[in-house]
Amino acid sequence: MHDASFRSEISRLYRKWQVDEAGTDAKVRLLTSLALYSLLLDRPSSSERDWEQITAASVLDTVAARPVHELFASLPSLSQVEERHLQALKLMSYSFGTSPGPSATANYWAYLTTTVSLLLEQIVIATGEETPTCKTILSAGQ
């Protein structure tokens, strides 16, 4: 998100979608982290650095395809602000399928997953790696 042209493009999308930029960014970061944490729980290894080998593609696949309730299983403790965003994500997931027709909640969830995808794609471009791992992703953010 530090790249100015990428930040500008994301801001343009947020305006088009009519969503709160700061809140949506926080939810995108949290959703990405939830996917990573979910993948960690799935791994048979308990190596302290095992998470570094998880690919960005796996994280995106988890965000897009894993049943939403699995993202909320066995979470570590979160800060008060993160907890509020987590509760918002949980409430969104509970309302999927409860209203007939188009859903503003489903649309917002799609915006979140789209932004995760764009963010991970930007990292692939910035790192020049074909299949960046979580170690690469975290290094790119520094």
Side-chain angles (χ1 to χ4, degrees), residues 69-95:
H69 67 274
E70 289 184 18
L71 297 175
F72 304 119
S74 302
L75 293 176
S77 61
L78 301 171
S79 73
Q80 190 175 22
V81 172
E82 290 170 324
E83 188 64 38
R84 284 196 314 263
H85 290 295
L86 177 68
Q87 293 307 320
L89 290 174
K90 282 182 178 181
L91 287 171
M92 278 185 251
S93 72
Y94 298 156
S95 69

Side-chain angles (χ1 to χ4, degrees), residues 98-117:
T98 60
S99 60
S103 163
T105 302
N107 286 343
Y108 188 67
W109 193 269
Y111 299 156
L112 294 174
T113 58
T114 297
T115 307
V116 170
S117 175

Side-chain angles (χ1 to χ4, degrees), residues 116-133:
V116 170
S117 175
L118 293 171
L119 178 63
L120 292 174
E121 180 183 331
Q122 180 64 24
I123 290 170
V124 170
I125 293 167
T127 63
E129 291 186 25
E130 191 172 314
T131 54
T133 63

Side-chain angles (χ1 to χ4, degrees), residues 5-6 14 17 31 45 48 55 63 81 86 112 123-124 129:
S5 62
F6 179 68
Y14 288 166
W17 296 334
L31 186 57
S45 172
E48 188 174 316
T55 65
V63 168
V81 172
L86 177 68
L112 294 174
I123 290 170
V124 170
E129 291 186 25

Side-chain angles (χ1 to χ4, degrees), residues 23-95:
T24 302
D25 275 350
K27 288 174 185 65
V28 165
R29 286 190 304 275
L30 183 59
L31 186 57
T32 305
S33 298
L34 290 172
L36 176 58
Y37 193 74
S38 181
L39 287 167
L40 282 172
L41 292 176
D42 287 350
R43 296 180 75 85
S45 172
S46 60
S47 171
E48 188 174 316
R49 294 284 191 195
D50 199 31
W51 61 269
E52 292 179 344
Q53 300 310 312
I54 296 173
T55 65
S58 296
V59 174
L60 178 57
D61 186 54
T62 300
V63 168
R66 186 163 290 206
V68 176
H69 67 274
E70 289 184 18
L71 297 175
F72 304 119
S74 302
L75 293 176
S77 61
L78 301 171
S79 73
Q80 190 175 22
V81 172
E82 290 170 324
E83 188 64 38
R84 284 196 314 263
H85 290 295
L86 177 68
Q87 293 307 320
L89 290 174
K90 282 182 178 181
L91 287 171
M92 278 185 251
S93 72
Y94 298 156
S95 69

